[in-house]
Structure formats: C-alpha cells, structure tokens
C-alpha cells in the first residue's frame, strides 16, 4: 500500500493563527469568575468538572471555544468576564502581595472573606503595591491587562499620597521634588507637591517605583513617619472605612483610570 504522505508539521506558535486559542480549564474557570484558580484546580482533580460530557481531571486540559463545561453537573458560562475593579482601603501592617492569594498577613486575607458570591469566584490581582506600613487606596482587578495599564509609567496615571514627616516641611525643602530629582535608581519625574502644614506633605507622582515617595522625601531631609494614598487617577478613597472595599462603576474605570475595560461576558 502506498504510504500516506506525512501531515505537514505546523509549528506550535502558528497552530492557532487566525483562530481563537483555547484557554486551559482551571484558568478558564477562574477568568470567568466561576471558581478562583486554586479551587478550580481542586474541583478538577476531584472529577467535578466535565467538558462536552467527559470528566476532565487535568487543570491544563484545553477548552476549545464553544465547549459545554459543567461543574457539579451544572453548565457554567465561560468566556472573558466584564472588567471588575475594587477600591480597597488598605490598613497598616498588612502586606500588599501580588502572588499568593491566601497567604497570611496579606491584603488578600482582609479582602477576600468580605466578597459577596458574585465577586468571590474571580482571581483578583492587586494593582501595584503599598509598603506594609502604608495605608490607603489599593485597587484590585480581575483583568490583568488593567494591572499592566495602571502600573506602567507610560500611562502616567497620577497617584496622590499624603506623607506625615518627622522634620519641618517647607516649600523650599520640597523644591527638588517639583523640579525632578535623581534617585539611586535613576531620575524621577517632577512631582506635584503641596505642603499642607509643617508635618504634612501631599505628593503626586506618575510613576510607582519601590518606596519612591519615602525616598524622595528622605533625600530632602524629610523622613516619612506615615504614608497614606488618597487617590489613583481620579479614583479617590474618600471616607471608605479602613479594611473595606467598594466596587467601581464602569464609568469610574473608564474615566478615572483611563481604561476601556472588557464588556459583559460572552458565552
Ligand atoms: N511610595 C512609598 O515610599 N511607599 C509606598 O507605599 C508607596 C509609594
């Protein structure tokens, strides 16, 4: 019998060219807000999840577009969910972790137990970070593109901080921050600085380097005793009680963070 010609080999990176690439199962479930990724992995391993009628036991099983996925026998809607953003008032003494969601002593430990069922299924990402003793506005989102957008220095999203300083502040002392100073990791952009009183300085920056505000004020002889973030873009913390959160509206995300989020989920 004549040998069938070998199928032409398509390199992996070209295999899905022009087609919708399948997501893998645990990620698809968490992106859609059905279960957080870790819980999705457990549910899959326990045989509670099926794709097109077959139990899938591997978290990395691809989910081709249009598949019927069931969890505990009930059909779930996959596809990209709408962008959701939470404004959280970070208390002092908790870590801004971006990685492990359930690590003790992190902001996630304070935030996650408060989420209502319609928000609890998503995998939440912190948008940037605040030092452990810093307080104030920390955003969380289920849309990792928003994290990249809001934390990129190219976006120039202003972040407004209020620092309580040890020494005596004056316009003369903070002038180098307004002009743009050189820190040990390179030049910092000019900041907007308002001396509210001799121990309180408002600093607005459009970058977000490590300990940037403390380093800038420290360099002009104003060591920081306490730091609080009041605003990111046009999103203001206002009187949100410490340790609590609120869900931003689509308009706040669009106007306040200059971000066109994803619309409602497609199924
Ligand atoms: N700059 C700092 O020094 N610390 C923060 O937590 C945020 C900005």
């Amino acid at each position: 019998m004549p040998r069938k010609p070998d199928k032409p080999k398509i390199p992996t990176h070209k295999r899905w060219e022009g087609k919708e690439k399948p997501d893998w199962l645990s990620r698809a479930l968490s992106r859609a807000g059905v279960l957080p990724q870790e819980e999705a992995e457990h549910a899959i391993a326990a045989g509670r999840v099926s794709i097109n009628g077959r139990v899938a036991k591997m978290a990395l099983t691809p989910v081709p577009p249009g598949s019927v996925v069931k969890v505990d026998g009930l059909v779930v809607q996959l596809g990209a969910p709408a962008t959701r953003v939470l404004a959280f008032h970070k208390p002092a003494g908790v870590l801004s972790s971006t990685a492990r969601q359930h690590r003790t002593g992190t902001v996630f430990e304070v935030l996650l137990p408060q989420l209502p069922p319609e928000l609890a299924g998503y995998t939440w990402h912190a948008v940037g970070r605040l030092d452990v003793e810093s307080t104030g506005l920390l955003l969380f989102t289920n849309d990792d593109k928003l994290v990249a957008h809001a934390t990129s220095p190219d976006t120039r999203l202003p972040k407004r901080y209020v620092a309580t300083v040890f020494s005596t502040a004056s316009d003369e002392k903070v002038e180098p921050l307004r002009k743009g100073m050189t820190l040990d990791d390179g030049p910092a952009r000019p900041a907007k600085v308002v001396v509210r009183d001799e121990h309180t300085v408002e600093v607005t920056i459009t970058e977000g380097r490590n300990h940037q505000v403390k380093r800038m004020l420290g360099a002009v002889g104003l060591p920081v005793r306490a730091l609080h973030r009041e605003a990111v873009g046009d999103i203001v913390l206002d009187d949100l009680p410490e340790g609590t959160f609120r869900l931003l509206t689509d308009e706040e995300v669009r106007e306040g963070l200059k971000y066109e989020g994803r619309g409602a989920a497609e199924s």
Side-chain angles (χ1 to χ4, degrees), residues 194-214:
V194 178
V195 178
R196 289 190 182 172
D197 64 44
E198 61 181 21
H199 293 299
T200 316
V201 184
E202 179 191 307
V203 181
T204 304
I205 55 175
T206 56
E207 308 159 278
R209 280 144 58 178
N210 248 1
H211 312 301
Q212 185 169 345
V213 176
K214 287 182 190 158

Side-chain angles (χ1 to χ4, degrees), residues 129-131 134 161 205 209 211-215 227:
R129 55 190 302 281
L130 287 172
D131 294 338
S134 298
Y161 295 88
I205 55 175
R209 280 144 58 178
H211 312 301
Q212 185 169 345
V213 176
K214 287 182 190 158
R215 287 191 290 141
L227 190 65

Side-chain angles (χ1 to χ4, degrees), residues 90 93-97 103-108 129-132:
K90 178 192 174 296
V94 288
L95 275 170
S96 291
S97 131
R103 235 182 70 193
T104 50
T106 70
V107 283
F108 289 103
R129 55 190 302 281
L130 287 172
D131 294 338
V132 65

